[in-house]
Amino acid sequence: MTTTLTSGRLILRPWREDDLDALEQVCADPEVMAHFPAVLDHAGSAELLGKLMAHQAEHGFTFWCLERREDGAVIGFTGLARVGFAAPFVPAVETGWRLARPFWDQGYALEAARRSLQFAFEELELSEVVAFTVPGNVRSWGLMERLGMRRDPADDFEHPGLPVGHPLRAHWLYRIDREDWRGR
């Protein structure tokens, strides 16, 4: 199943093999990746691309390639994914985003995330969507709050993919349910 979404300025579409260079540029930027364990090199970006494409093929959605409508520029990704690790809130579908720096502070992540949540609640008929980030990622949790997502500190967790003591292991969990989405 191939899902493509559109919003006012954006196209959220499945990834293609020829998107690798654009994905690599985003994931190799130390500022973009400041709240992740490491930047990704070519091989790491290729592995991520394969995972994104496989998730789309299996579930009908993914962190879609984010393309600007006006010029076709690939500016990053935004979308939905099944959480792939063990945690108290799993099974769950998360929303997430990663944009190239030249496209920050223009409302693209908010616009694309809103469209992703609309798809989650209206088309997939999910009852809830989560998002998570490290406490220091003010941009990301600020966007979660602008989306109407709420954090309960009792739900915060240690990311199992990082070793105990790692500075990025602590994560804040945000949630939004269908009723709250409809009420916005």
Side-chain angles (χ1 to χ4, degrees):
M1 176 162 112
T2 302
T3 302
T4 298
L5 307 177
T6 58
S7 64
R9 301 178 294 164
L10 302 167
I11 300 168
L12 291 76
R13 63 164 173 80
W15 291 91
R16 302 182 304 248
E17 293 291 339
D18 64 346
D19 293 320
L20 178 57
D21 288 344
L23 180 61
E24 183 178 358
Q25 285 182 345
V26 173
C27 296
D29 185 323
E31 194 169 348
V32 171
M33 300 297 286
H35 301 288
F36 292 88
V39 297
L40 298 180
D41 60 9
H42 181 79
S45 294
E47 181 181 344
L48 175 59
L49 179 63
K51 289 178 181 178
L52 293 166
M53 294 172 79
H55 193 283
Q56 172 74 39
E58 182 176 352
H59 302 291
F61 58 88
T62 193
F63 291 137
W64 290 287
C65 180
L66 192 55
E67 187 177 291
R68 198 164 53 178
R69 290 174 85 154
E70 71 182 52
D71 58 7
V74 173
I75 66 172
F77 61 76
T78 307
L80 304 166
R82 295 202 179 276
V83 177
F85 56 82
F89 60 91
V90 174
V93 171
E94 68 169 303
T95 186
W97 41 82
R98 188 178 303 166
L99 271 65
R101 262 188 302 152
F103 305 102
W104 289 5
D105 299 321
Q106 297 176 50
Y108 290 126
L110 180 62
E111 180 179 332
R114 282 183 174 149
R115 182 62 181 98
S116 296
L117 288 174
Q118 180 184 18
F119 178 79
F121 293 125
E122 294 180 4
E123 297 179 48
L124 297 177
E125 298 181 350
L126 298 177
S127 59
E128 179 182 74
V129 175
V130 302
F132 45 86
T133 191
V134 297
N137 193 346
V138 176
R139 288 178 169 278
S140 194
W141 60 256
L143 177 55
M144 294 169 196
E145 291 178 357
R146 285 192 300 283
L147 290 166
M149 302 184 92
R150 295 192 182 119
R151 174 181 169 241
D152 179 344
D155 291 334
D156 294 347
F157 66 100
E158 300 287 311
H159 197 294
L162 296 170
V164 173
H166 192 285
L168 299 176
R169 188 169 161 93
H171 276 62
W172 286 357
L173 179 71
Y174 281 78
R175 301 173 186 263
I176 189 167
D177 63 30
R178 188 180 312 137
E179 290 72 33
D180 284 343
W181 171 253
R182 287 182 179 151
R184 289 193 50 78

